[in-house]
Amino acid sequence: MSQLSRTGVSLEDDLLKEFDRLIAKRGYANRSEAFRDLIRDALLSETVASNKPMVGTLTLVYDHHVPNLARKLTEVQHAAGARVLAATHVHLDHHYCLEVIIMKGRGKEIQAVADGMLALRGVELGKLVLTNSGKSLKHGAHSH
Ligand code: NI
């Protein structure tokens, strides 16, 4: 079990009010837990830009009527080779497709593959979630 340390944070009243509103909406029991999650997120973002091994899921929504888009998305994935572990395609409606691509590799590499797809014309929505199982990033200070 990690040792808990206390620290004080000075914030403008308005900012604190907004923060309290946000954490109430998200259902946090207290500010400390919300701060811990924000800090973990920030640390994880830094890891993402690194060369550390990560897994990533890229979610895309795109219009399959845009010429060559589906072919280009497939090309990017082929170029990424073994970094792409799996891809799932769902036909949402007449126009739109949802694709979830699961990747494994260095943070920077996964980000680059994702960027290659997100930048394509016709990709309407996209979000890459990168994570790893780093012990320091696990939820809570206690061990499970
Ligand atoms: Ni489709």
Side-chain angles (χ1 to χ4, degrees), residues 2-14:
S2 308
Q3 192 78 33
L4 276 181
S5 298
R6 289 189 189 285
T7 185
V9 180
S10 302
L11 291 173
E12 289 85 356
D13 286 346
D14 290 353

Side-chain angles (χ1 to χ4, degrees), residues 62 64 89-99:
Y62 65 91
H64 80 268
H89 186 109
V90 177
H91 313 298
L92 287 181
D93 59 25
H94 184 65
H95 284 276
Y96 290 101
C97 299
L98 168 79
E99 207 156 307

